[in-house]
Each structure stands twice: as structure tokens, then as C-alpha cells.
Amino acid sequence: MKSLEQLTDSVFYIMAALTEPRHGYAVMSLIEETTKGTFVVGPASLYTIIKKLVAEQLIQLHDDSDSRRKVYVLTDKGREILLEDIERRKVMIHLAEQGLQRGNI
Amino acid sequence: MKSLEQLTDSVFYIMAALTEPRHGYAVMSLIEETTKGTFVVGPASLYTIIKKLVAEQLIQLHDDSDSRRKVYVLTDKGREILLEDIERRKVMIHLAEQGLQRGNI
DNA sequence: AACAATATATCATTTTGTGATATATCAAGC
DNA sequence: GCTTGATATATCACAAAATGATATATTGTT
């Protein structure tokens, strides 16, 4: 994350998972599950990214965390950034599909 | 690129641009243009990635290249991979939107 | 008690991306 | 016919991002 401009895929998946309060391990499992194992964010990546997202205030600790489970959730700022990135990604897909459709010469 | 599983954003943008024959500089300009400057792939990233994509046979040199301009275009394999990644990205967006929509508690 | 699953965390390394810079060609204006 | 700016490719050294391996502790099951 150079600052917040665009989210990497890993960051996007994690933030998407944290639209609802979840602890790290659950985020990891959810991504693996929803992508049918296509995209795996292992513990090293996960906790590294979580640390950064907290530092940048895109996610925050949720109340019902205990010592064992640290539950995180998107902040308003995080939600905003995620929405922006969704739009960017829609355009991306649109561009690619447009290119593929026109019979690519 | 660990092997081809998922494309990074930069790789995706470049491959999307190469659904039509284009030389490197044109790819660079196109990305900057279509993303309104949001996403910039500079020469260092561009030529590094092009080299890798050629090595993995996702793109190839197109006939009307001369000494000055090296024109590249997606291979069949590249087109296939791009299509797969488009699908992955659609699911990604769907997941994120679903999360955001349900009032995120 | 033993074991598997859950859960968080970090280190060392690899992979990816980039700023800076170099080099050459071409087109336009003077 | 030369200067300038845009076009075009390329690489080096570095920074950022991601990951494999590993460590540690807790909880639930048998």
C-alpha cells in the first residue's frame, strides 16, 4: 500500500471480509472459502496487512474482542476507500471485456 | 507472478491493454488515460512485466514490430488467463458489495 | 493426557513494483 | 540543419508487498 490509492487484491479481500466484524482467522477462512481456494491469504500476509490497515485507520478493533480473538471491522474511512476501489475495479473489468469482445484483431 | 494463478492489478491492466496489438509506450499511455491518471504503470514496471509475460507466453511479439516499436499482443493462453481473472474479479466485487449492502452491523 | 483445530504473531526471504536514469528516434518549429 | 519535446525502450538499485516456515497458546474432542 503506497498510501491508499489503490488496494491490492489481498487488501481488498481482507477489507471486503471486514464489512462485518470478524477476527483474523475467520477472515482467512472466509477468503479461502469464498474463493474456493483460488486465493489464499496465509497468516503471514493476513496479520501483516491487518497491522497496516489498523495503522491507516481503515479497520479498527471491534468491542467484542477478547484476549483470544481480536475482532476487527471496517471504519467509515475504510468503507469509503473500499467503495472507491470497487468502482476502480469495475472500470478495470469493463476495459478488459471491451478489449476481448472486439475480436481482438 | 508466482506462476499465473491470479494476476496483479498492474499485470491485469497491461494484459487488458494488449487485447489489441500495442507497443509498450502505448500500453502505458492507455492505462494512464483510461484510469484518468488513477493508476500509473511507469516504464520500469511496464517493461519488467512485459518481459515476464513474454517469458510465460501470455503475450507475444506481433508481426508489425520494427526496431523502434515492439508491438505485443495477447496469446490464446493469455486471453484465457485474462478471462479467468475477470471472473475472479467479478466475484471479488460481488463479495465486497454484498458485505457493504447488508448494513454492516 | 493427547490431538486437532483455532488463533495470533513474527522472521527471513522472495516476489513485485518503482524512481531515477540512460539512450535513441522522430516530428515540429525556427 | 539544429534544437526541443514527445515517443520509445531499457535497466539498475531500491522499496513495498506478500509469503513459507515456524512459534506459541488456547479450546474442544476423544
Side-chain angles (χ1 to χ4, degrees), chain B residues 1-2 8 10 44-45 48-49 52 68:
Chain B
M1 259 176 316
K2 47 229 80 172
T8 64
S10 297
S45 311
T48 306
I49 291 170
K52 281 188 200 167
R68 185 159 146 71

Side-chain angles (χ1 to χ4, degrees), chain B residues 84-100:
Chain B
E84 278 172 27
D85 212 69
I86 288 173
E87 287 316 306
R88 178 179 70 86
R89 284 167 187 276
K90 282 183 179 172
V91 174
M92 258 175 113
I93 289 173
H94 180 69
L95 289 172
E97 284 187 326
Q98 228 175 9
L100 286 169

Side-chain angles (χ1 to χ4, degrees), chain B residues 44-96:
Chain B
S45 311
L46 181 86
Y47 293 107
T48 306
I49 291 170
I50 282 182
K51 205 187 287 178
K52 281 188 200 167
L53 290 175
V54 170
E56 302 207 30
Q57 303 178 43
L58 302 190
I59 65 174
Q60 65 188 182
L61 261 182
H62 194 247
D63 0 310
D64 50 60
S65 295
D66 52 47
S67 55
R68 185 159 146 71
R69 297 174 168 205
K70 291 195 181 170
V71 175
Y72 296 95
V73 71
L74 273 192
T75 61
D76 288 345
K77 191 175 164 193
R79 208 172 296 123
E80 201 186 304
I81 298 278
L82 182 59
L83 265 167
E84 278 172 27
D85 212 69
I86 288 173
E87 287 316 306
R88 178 179 70 86
R89 284 167 187 276
K90 282 183 179 172
V91 174
M92 258 175 113
I93 289 173
H94 180 69
L95 289 172

